[in-house]
Amino acid sequence: MRVDLVLANWHLFANGVWITLQLTFLALAIGFCIGLPFGLARARRVPYLSPAINAYVYLFRGTPLLVQTFLIYYGLSQFEWIRDGWAWIYLRSAWWCALIAFSLNSGAYATEIIRGAIQSVPKGDLDAARALGLRPLFVNALILIPVALRRALPQYGNEVVFMLHGSAVASVITLQDILGAGRTLNAKFYLAYEGFVTAALLYMAITFVLVAIFRGLERRYLGHLDLWH
């Protein structure tokens, strides 16, 4: 293991960590903004809207993230009207294409997570809120959504970790994320595994921190339930 080469090229991995964290957390934030209204619409079975959301969820959960990223990065550039349009300033960038693909993918999973969490909220909680005279908007905002988001923490914690690991796809469209940094190190010095081992250790370290954060949130917000027994 050529640790000296890894340390001498630490800047490659520092930049890779930054790009990975950028893509991961921006995609999760955008995905959450997609998943919250879509999950609520799916749970309520809103006519016409719910089937369209179901098709979106099936499309992005039923195909690999790598294929989605390829279709956006390489596929959209094949259409002349896209290359001539305003969106091309973004779609010609690997970073933006990765963010779009990751966000849409995360949004599909967030939709299902939130839908399941909403449907798991005890009916008695909602009935009690209505008995107090709260309007439907306030029932959703003050009772339904907060309770559902607390219950969704374990599943959403898994989605955060999956998105972190899935972000390694960015390296195949020229982005120098953590895995891209490892591949660059190996190619530069004709190494077999040092770059990949370093990348794996960095992913493990970030995952450890994320898991610890979500475990703490679960203990704080779900400690009153029987999930720990």
Side-chain angles (χ1 to χ4, degrees):
M1 178 78 177
R2 294 295 305 275
V3 178
D4 57 321
L5 292 178
V6 174
L7 294 177
N9 292 271
W10 65 269
H11 58 281
L12 280 176
F13 292 98
N15 184 65
V17 168
W18 173 239
I19 291 176
T20 293
L21 293 179
Q22 271 187 325
L23 288 173
T24 299
F25 289 108
L26 283 174
L28 287 167
I30 297 171
F32 179 81
C33 292
I34 294 171
L36 184 58
F38 281 15
L40 185 59
R42 284 270 287 130
R44 294 296 176 83
R45 294 182 174 86
V46 178
Y48 303 108
L49 184 58
S50 186
I53 295 172
N54 189 42
Y56 155 71
V57 169
Y58 181 78
L59 174 65
F60 281 92
R61 292 180 72 206
T63 57
L65 179 58
L66 178 61
V67 173
Q68 297 162 19
T69 305
F70 275 172
L71 287 175
I72 292 174
Y73 183 62
Y74 294 112
L76 294 180
S77 63
Q78 306 303 311
F79 298 97
E80 185 176 351
W81 61 272
I82 289 181
R83 296 197 302 271
D84 294 338
W86 62 269
W88 183 240
I89 191 173
Y90 302 105
L91 295 177
R92 68 184 180 184
S93 165
W95 190 91
W96 278 103
C97 287
L99 180 61
I100 292 169
F102 295 175
S103 298
L104 291 173
N105 183 275
S106 180
Y109 282 93
T111 296
E112 283 302 284
I113 291 171
I114 293 172
R115 177 196 62 78
I118 288 174
Q119 292 179 335
S120 73
V121 174
K123 188 174 181 295
D125 292 1
L126 305 180
D127 291 339
R130 296 188 189 102
L132 292 174
L134 291 180
R135 296 179 180 179
L137 177 63
F138 292 104
V139 172
N140 289 338
L142 300 178
I143 306 298
L144 180 63
I145 293 176
V147 173
L149 292 181
R150 291 191 186 99
R151 289 175 171 268
L153 276 173
Q155 292 77 19
Y156 204 75
N158 289 334
E159 167 59 16
V160 171
V161 173
F162 291 154
M163 190 72 259
L164 170 67
H165 295 166
S167 69
V169 167
S171 66
V172 302
I173 57 171
T174 73
L175 288 177
Q176 291 292 303
D177 64 341
I178 293 176
L179 180 57
R183 295 172 65 179
T184 299
L185 182 73
N186 286 349
K188 184 177 180 180
F189 297 102
Y190 303 99
L191 302 174
Y193 60 85
E194 280 84 346
F196 295 140
V197 170
T198 305
L201 292 174
L202 288 171
Y203 281 118
M204 290 173 63
I206 298 172
T207 300
F208 178 83
V209 173
L210 293 175
V211 169
I213 291 173
F214 273 90
R215 288 285 173 83
L217 291 173
E218 289 172 29
R219 290 190 178 92
R220 177 172 180 177
Y221 293 109
L222 299 176
H224 63 287
L225 301 177
D226 292 331
L227 300 179
W228 299 99
H229 301 291

